[in-house]
């Protein structure tokens, strides 16, 4: 029970600190989903270092020295509490965001996380020395169960009811208790107070040292599990639907496969799971080239999540079957963590820099099929079937690449996601479109009556269009958070200033090079690179007549742009009659009540403009207009379109420290 309690506490804290720390720094990097991926790479890498520490300590030091060293490091790690980064770590906008996140996490949460990551293998090693034998591998299943519980508890039980500061403080208190529990486990081992139990039979002869080939197989299986997790998560959250909390589902399935495979051998049977893998991967691979399957929300999400779970059951089931005797368990866990870090680094860090789109999923399917062919080589028919599956998946991957590159004018990818520029024919007119993931971020007619006219969510009858039309005729100062194609610059008149803020340098380059809104605008246009809120905090008051908040990545929401603190920053940059226009169109979240609550909190007026039937080529849109001067909304172009935003009972004002997406899910 002492061993189990310590491991459960360490795994629970290990997973709980990840969303706390990640959410704290998320606003500093534009709310990008890539922040989560980078944090995951950091935590996987630190897990690798922790497992390497456990492997070396258990092999090179006698138990008393192991306990002494570990206890000393645990005590030192308490000095790092609490683990939230200070404001001095906020980015300036010129640094590489991925590297900056890695450095910041290393300096803040690094040591406590490292100590947590060492606990699982080290305590299991101590348990093996106390006579637990092969039963220690059930403790690994327990640790994954604790991680799963932490994962599910945070968004539904912890985040909605406590601020980040409270979460960090409570986590720090529990971590202190964990450190004491861990030291108690070590002392009990040294004093021999743990009662040994008969050693269970191991799956490998203890006298046989794991070969390099076997360790390479451990690493390969773990790598592909991590690769598949991140690749599927990227695909369903950025290509299919940027749905809140959707990232939880693949991670839950990934952890569940570990729990089942290491709890007992009865959950994995190769003869049943490998054919399922062939069927699911075939469907997933075909979905990458057939949009009717691969992009249909109701079909694609269950399909790719099923493929992930089946793939992880095969990979982790094979891992569990290859586990060594307890004498070598720390080397086994080191190989697993190395594979996890490699998979995370390839998908989270390398792929965005070398692949123009999300091709790592298709590549992962091919590699897993080849790995299965190696695993089942003693069964020729099954091995041939795996090779044929790899060929089929390679063909679907090639078709995916050919289809995307063939129809794209531009296709590139970076830390913030994938950008696709495509020319399409609409009633005989060429229309150029910009897509971020699967979401349209603007379009421009290259000829005809709609050329250089506002389109999509920015038409004349939209909320922002009505404000700009009402203010026409006199010089205006307009700030825009989120550049997109620069469509709003089409409203510019001589004497106007349009100042755009965008965190993604690739978006700025695309808007300037591929679209004409910026260069054809009659206004003076300025572009500021970096997170808009951080830049506004540094700037002198801009006296904007209109400030547009439209920084969305797909349907995901940069929450830090919709908080009490954010609204205070915006208000400091408004003129006396100025208006803030929040773009709140969203398939999954009711954001208008959030903005209305913010306005009420600061004594401002908020009205909704729902443009349900716009004239072509505009698209349906929802905007909430916020101002301290009600007269600014009482103009003829606006007044007939205004309506009260809906309310959500029990909704609290969002702040940087406390906000609850779950409350506003449609």
């Amino acid at each position: 029970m002492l061993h189990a309690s310590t491991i459960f506490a360490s795994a629970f804290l290990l997973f709980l600190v990840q969303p706390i720390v990640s959410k704290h720094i998320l606003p500093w990097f534009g709310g990008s989903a890539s922040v989560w991926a980078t944090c995951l790479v950091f935590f996987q890498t630190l897990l690798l270092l922790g497992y390497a520490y456990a492997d070396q300590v258990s092999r090179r030091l006698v138990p008393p020295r192991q306990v002494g060293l570990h206890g000393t490091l645990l005590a030192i790690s308490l000095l790092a509490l609490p683990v939230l980064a200070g404001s001095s770590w906020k980015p300036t906008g010129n640094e590489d965001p991925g590297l900056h996140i890695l450095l910041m996490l290393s300096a803040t949460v690094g040591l406590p996380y490292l100590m947590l990551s060492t606990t699982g293998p080290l305590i299991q090693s101590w348990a093996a020395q106390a006579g637990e034998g092969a039963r220690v591998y059930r403790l690994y299943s327990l640790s994954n169960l604790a991680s799963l519980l932490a994962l599910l508890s945070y968004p539904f039980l912890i985040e909605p009811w406590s601020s980040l500061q409270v979460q960090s403080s409570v986590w720090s208190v529990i971590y202190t208790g964990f450190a004491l529990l861990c030291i108690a486990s070590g002392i009990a081992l040294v004093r021999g107070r743990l009662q040994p139990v008969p050693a269970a039979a191991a799956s490998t002869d203890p006298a046989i040292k794991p070969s390099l080939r076997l360790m390479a197989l451990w690493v390969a299986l773990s790598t592909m599990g991590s690769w598949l997790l991140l690749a599927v998560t990227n695909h369903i959250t950025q290509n299919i639907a940027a749905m809140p909390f959707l990232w939880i589902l693949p991670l839950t399935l990934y952890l569940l496969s570990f729990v089942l495979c290491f709890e007992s051998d009865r959950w994995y049977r190769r003869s049943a799971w490998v054919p399922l893998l062939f069927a699911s991967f075939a469907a997933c691979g075909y979905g990458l080239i057939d949009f009717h399957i691969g992009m249909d929300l109701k079909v694609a999400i269950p399909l790719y999540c099923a493929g992930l779970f089946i793939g992880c059951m095969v990979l982790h089931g094979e891992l569990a079957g290859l586990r060594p005797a307890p004498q070598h368990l720390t080397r086994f866990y080191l190989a697993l963590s190395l594979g996890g870090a490699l998979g995370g680094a390839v998908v989270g860090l390398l792929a965005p820099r070398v692949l123009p789109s999300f091709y790592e999923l298709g590549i992962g399917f091919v590699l897993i099929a080849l790995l299965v062919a190696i695993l089942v080589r003693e069964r020729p028919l099954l091995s041939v079937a795996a090779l044929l599956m790899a060929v089929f998946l390679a063909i679907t991957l090639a078709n995916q690449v050919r289809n995307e590159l063939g129809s794209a004018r531009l296709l590139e990818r970076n830390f913030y996601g994938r950008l696709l520029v495509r020319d399409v024919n609409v009633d005989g007119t060429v229309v150029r479109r910009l897509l971020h993931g699967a979401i349209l971020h603007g379009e421009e007619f290259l000829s005809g009556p709609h050329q250089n006219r506002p389109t999509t969510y920015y038409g004349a009858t939209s909320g922002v269009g009505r404000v700009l039309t009402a203010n026409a005729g006199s010089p205006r100062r307009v700030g825009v958070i989120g550049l997109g194609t620069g469509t709003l610059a089409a409203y510019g008149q001589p004497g106007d200033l349009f100042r755009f803020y965008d965190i993604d340098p690739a978006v700025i380059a695309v808007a300037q090079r591929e679209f004409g809104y910026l260069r054809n605008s009659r206004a003076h246009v300025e572009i500021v690179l970096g997170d808009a809120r951080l830049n506004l905090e540094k700037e002198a008051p801009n006296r904007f007549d209109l400030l547009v908040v439209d920084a969305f990545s797909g349907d995901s929401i940069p929450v830090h742009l919709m908080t009490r603190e954010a609204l205070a920053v915006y208000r400091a940059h408004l003129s006396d009659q100025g208006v803030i226009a929040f773009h709140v169109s969203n398939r999954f979240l009711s954001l208008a009540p959030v903005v209305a609550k913010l306005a009420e909190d600061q004594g401002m007026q908020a009205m909704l403009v729902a443009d349900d039937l716009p004239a072509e080529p505009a698209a349906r849109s929802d905007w909430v207009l916020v101002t301290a001067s009600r007269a600014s909304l009482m103009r003829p172009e606006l007044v007939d379109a205004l309506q009260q935003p809906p309310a959500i009972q029990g909704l609290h004002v969002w702040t940087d420290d406390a906000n609850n997406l779950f409350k506003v899910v449609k």
Side-chain angles (χ1 to χ4, degrees):
M1 286 303 297
L2 186 58
H3 290 153
S5 300
T6 307
I7 287 177
F8 187 94
S10 69
F12 190 86
L13 288 170
L14 198 71
F15 242 77
L16 195 60
V17 75
Q18 296 182 34
I20 293 174
V21 172
S22 301
K23 186 179 178 182
H24 176 64
I25 67 172
L26 192 66
W28 300 352
F29 299 91
S32 168
S34 297
V35 176
W36 295 102
T38 305
C39 289
L40 185 57
V41 170
F42 169 81
F43 291 127
Q44 285 177 322
T45 303
L46 217 57
L47 193 68
L48 169 62
L49 294 177
Y51 279 25
Y53 162 91
D55 181 60
Q56 292 301 307
V57 166
S58 64
R59 288 174 177 275
R60 297 180 181 274
L61 299 180
V62 296
R65 291 186 178 274
Q66 293 180 32
V67 175
L69 174 62
H70 201 62
T72 301
L73 292 176
L74 282 167
I76 295 174
S77 71
L78 297 177
L79 300 177
L81 304 179
V83 292
L84 297 184
S87 58
S88 61
W89 282 100
K90 287 185 178 181
T92 62
N94 298 319
E95 58 276 285
D96 181 289
L99 292 177
H100 189 72
I101 290 172
L102 295 177
L103 288 174
M104 175 173 48
L105 294 177
S106 299
T108 53
V109 72
L111 186 55
Y113 193 89
L114 179 66
M115 299 315 298
L116 287 169
S117 66
T118 65
T119 300
L122 193 59
I123 294 291
Q124 288 181 59
S125 173
W126 293 352
Q129 294 177 50
E132 290 288 342
R135 290 176 54 187
V136 296
Y137 285 108
R138 299 191 70 182
L139 293 175
Y140 185 64
S141 177
L142 177 67
S143 71
N144 281 283
L145 178 61
S147 299
L148 180 58
L149 291 176
L151 169 69
L152 297 177
S153 297
Y154 184 79
F156 304 115
L157 300 178
I158 298 173
E159 184 185 28
W161 310 109
S162 59
S163 67
L164 279 175
Q165 294 297 331
V166 171
Q167 294 168 26
S168 175
S169 298
V170 172
W171 186 92
S172 299
V173 171
I174 300 175
Y175 178 84
T176 303
F178 149 77
L180 296 174
L181 194 62
C182 192
I183 293 172
S185 294
I187 293 173
L189 171 69
V190 172
R191 293 185 175 179
R193 291 182 179 175
L194 290 170
Q195 294 298 319
V197 297
S203 60
T204 306
D205 186 345
I208 300 177
K209 183 179 179 180
S211 65
L212 288 177
R213 179 184 173 280
L214 179 59
M215 289 189 286
L217 199 54
W218 292 342
V219 173
L221 288 165
S222 179
T223 297
M224 295 318 302
S226 175
W227 181 316
L228 189 60
L229 165 66
L230 286 178
V232 168
T233 301
N234 281 342
H235 182 65
I236 67 174
T237 59
Q238 299 199 41
N239 283 344
I240 300 175
M243 188 184 299
F245 310 112
L246 185 56
W247 61 271
I248 295 175
L249 181 56
L251 191 50
T252 298
L253 296 173
Y254 175 81
L255 290 173
L256 181 60
S257 68
F258 268 121
V259 173
L260 295 177
C261 291
F262 281 85
E263 189 278 331
S264 170
D265 291 338
R266 71 178 182 272
W267 296 106
Y268 175 70
R269 292 287 183 273
R270 178 186 287 177
S271 59
W273 285 98
V274 169
L276 284 176
L277 180 137
F278 292 162
S280 63
F281 275 25
C284 289
Y286 183 74
L288 295 176
I289 57 175
D290 187 335
F291 282 3
H292 296 293
I293 296 175
M295 291 299 172
D296 185 327
L297 189 109
K298 295 180 179 178
V299 175
I301 292 178
L303 173 64
Y304 286 99
C305 285
L308 169 66
F309 181 67
I310 294 169
C312 286
M313 281 297 296
V314 171
L315 294 168
H316 299 156
E318 294 292 335
L319 262 176
L322 295 172
R323 62 190 183 273
Q327 289 88 335
H328 305 293
L329 66 82
T330 57
R331 187 58 51 90
F332 177 65
Y333 290 140
L334 177 59
L336 264 61
S337 62
L338 175 59
L342 286 175
V346 169
V347 178
L349 295 179
L350 183 62
R353 288 168 168 79
V354 300
L355 298 178
S357 189
F358 295 102
Y359 299 137
E360 61 268 23
L361 180 57
I363 296 172
F365 286 151
V366 174
L367 293 178
I368 291 172
L370 292 174
L371 185 57
V372 169
I374 295 173
L375 290 168
V376 300
R377 62 189 181 281
E378 74 281 0
R379 298 179 61 183
L381 290 179
L382 202 56
S383 183
V384 170
L387 290 174
L388 291 175
M389 179 56 58
V391 172
F392 171 77
L393 292 169
I395 292 172
T396 61
L397 172 62
N399 284 333
Q400 179 195 7
V401 174
R402 183 183 61 192
N403 292 343
E404 290 191 355
L405 294 179
S407 64
R409 177 180 173 85
L410 177 145
L411 182 64
E412 63 179 76
R413 180 181 173 194
N414 65 7
F415 177 82
Y416 299 102
R418 184 198 69 170
L419 295 176
L420 170 65
V421 177
R422 176 181 290 160
D423 290 342
V424 297
N425 189 293
V426 178
D427 297 329
T429 301
V430 177
V431 179
R432 182 161 296 167
R433 289 175 174 167
L434 171 64
L435 292 96
H436 186 285
I439 305 299
L440 180 66
H441 271 231
E443 66 180 21
E444 180 181 21
F445 283 74
L446 301 186
S447 62
H450 299 304
Q451 185 178 15
N452 205 37
R453 297 284 182 87
T455 58
T456 60
Y457 320 109
Y458 314 103
T461 55
S462 67
V464 68
R466 289 176 182 272
V467 174
L468 286 167
T469 302
N471 290 336
S474 59
R476 299 166 295 184
R477 296 179 62 84
V478 179
V480 184
I481 299 176
L483 175 61
T485 59
T487 306
L488 287 175
Y491 284 100
Q493 300 294 329
D496 290 347
L497 168 69
F498 276 67
R499 185 176 175 86
F500 291 88
Y501 299 84
D502 204 284
I503 198 171
D504 189 347
V507 169
I508 295 174
V510 167
Q512 292 175 326
R513 185 176 65 246
E514 301 293 335
F515 294 86
Y517 289 120
L518 297 178
R519 61 176 175 267
N520 295 330
S521 178
R522 290 178 288 176
H524 175 67
V525 175
E526 298 176 351
I527 299 176
V528 181
L529 173 65
D531 180 76
R533 180 173 156 184
L534 293 180
N535 279 310
L536 287 170
E537 288 174 354
K538 301 172 188 174
E539 295 174 359
N542 282 290
R543 305 283 301 169
F544 290 130
D545 300 298
L546 173 65
L547 180 58
V548 182
V549 183
D550 184 31
F552 301 110
S553 176
D555 270 345
S556 60
I557 303 302
V559 171
H560 72 296
L561 296 179
M562 303 183 71
T563 64
R564 172 187 288 156
E565 294 82 357
L567 185 56
V569 173
Y570 305 154
R571 192 172 185 179
H573 286 273
L574 285 183
S575 66
D576 294 338
Q577 304 295 316
V579 175
I580 307 170
F582 287 88
H583 188 191
V584 296
S585 305
N586 195 278
R587 290 178 293 172
F588 306 113
L589 300 174
S590 297
L591 297 174
V594 176
V595 178
K597 201 72 177 177
L598 290 173
E600 178 187 352
D601 178 67
Q602 300 210 12
M604 303 177 75
Q605 303 288 326
M607 298 298 290
L608 172 67
V609 177
D611 192 16
D612 294 324
L613 298 172
E616 294 289 344
R620 187 197 176 285
S621 65
D622 291 326
W623 293 82
V624 176
L625 308 178
V626 176
T627 181
S629 171
R630 186 169 180 80
S632 300
L633 301 179
M634 293 297 105
R635 303 184 182 186
E637 297 86 351
L638 282 167
V639 67
D640 291 337
L642 299 177
Q643 54 184 285
Q644 288 290 337
I648 295 178
Q649 187 175 3
L651 179 66
H652 297 292
V653 176
W654 281 11
T655 68
D656 288 348
D657 203 38
N659 43 76
N660 182 6
L661 280 177
F662 189 68
K663 188 73 175 178
V664 298
V665 173
K666 289 183 179 178

